[in-house]
Amino acid sequence: MMKLWLIGLGLLVWLAAFISSKWSGQRAVRFWLGSLGLMIFLTGALTGPLAQAWAQVLARVVGGVGTLSGCYTSAAGAPLLNIPGPTGLSILAVDYECTGLMESIVYLGLLWFFPLYTWRHRVKWTVLGLGWLVLANVLRLTVVALLLATQGSAAFWWAHALVGRGLFYGLIIPLYYYVFTKAQLTRPGTVRFNYGGKQ
């Protein structure tokens, strides 16, 4: 009960600060207030049972790829991947960090308060962007599992921390470029270059 009361109070304070920032005329302040507030709210909302349910779904999808390839399977009733390899059985737990929820929350926070988009564009890029993030995360976990299946459990650190993360973030960069950077470069009047004091 106390947690709901604090969440409600925090939400009201955030909304009041965000609405009052409209009168300041500072678009950057409004963007950061909105983005950070939404990120904090989503982080609180997407923990616990929701995060565990998403981890289960993700483990099932990645486990399905492993079943098709014959290299590994997902465990029944838990967000785990059972990966037989040359050094024995490795068990990969799909926890909160592996779900991609943090990266999705940051993306949504930036997107929904990005001043160049209309509501229709925000909905479109929410669906496309989250789909892209899910596919990138499934690919990341699949590559890590395949590396463990072929190289054994000794490869866990470099497979997860280097190859997996490098692949995942490498796939996120084009999404961010297209959604945020390219939108500013291609929309007339959004980018101003200053050459020797002349605009």
Side-chain angles (χ1 to χ4, degrees):
M1 182 68 174
M2 180 69 161
K3 185 178 177 184
L4 287 176
W5 182 81
L6 284 174
I7 290 171
L9 179 63
L11 191 59
L12 286 174
V13 169
W14 170 61
L15 284 172
F18 179 71
I19 291 169
S20 65
S21 71
K22 185 174 186 175
W23 294 299
S24 73
Q26 297 292 323
R27 291 174 69 183
V29 171
R30 187 170 171 78
F31 170 74
W32 285 112
L33 265 175
S35 295
L36 290 173
L38 183 60
M39 287 179 209
I40 291 168
F41 175 74
L42 288 175
T43 299
L46 297 176
T47 56
L50 288 175
Q52 291 171 2
W54 180 241
Q56 289 271 20
V57 169
L58 203 54
R60 292 280 180 260
V61 171
V62 176
V65 175
T67 301
L68 289 174
S69 67
C71 293
Y72 60 91
T73 60
S74 60
L80 302 172
L81 298 173
N82 297 319
I83 308 166
T87 58
L89 181 68
S90 298
I91 297 176
L92 181 63
V94 180
D95 60 6
Y96 185 79
E97 185 219 346
C98 296
T99 60
L101 285 174
M102 290 183 291
E103 292 82 2
S104 299
I105 287 168
V106 170
Y107 173 75
L108 290 175
L110 295 174
L111 174 66
W112 276 89
F113 293 94
F114 194 59
L116 298 184
Y117 288 132
T118 64
W119 284 96
R120 192 177 73 224
H121 288 110
R122 289 181 179 121
V123 170
K124 177 184 94 170
W125 285 115
T126 294
V127 173
L128 293 175
L130 290 180
W132 182 264
L133 288 167
V134 168
L135 288 174
N137 202 27
V138 167
L139 183 60
R140 169 180 73 139
L141 290 172
T142 300
V143 167
V144 170
L146 289 172
L147 286 171
L148 290 175
T150 58
Q151 303 299 313
S153 59
F156 176 77
W157 184 83
W158 64 263
H160 184 270
L162 298 178
V163 177
R165 283 193 182 141
L167 176 65
F168 184 59
Y169 291 118
L171 290 171
I172 289 176
I173 290 170
L175 173 68
Y176 271 68
Y177 171 78
Y178 196 81
V179 174
F180 300 112
T181 306
K182 189 175 180 187
Q184 292 183 69
L185 296 175
T186 58
R187 184 166 292 188
T190 57
V191 178
R192 294 181 182 167
F193 297 100
N194 190 330
Y195 298 104
K198 297 179 181 178
Q199 289 189 355

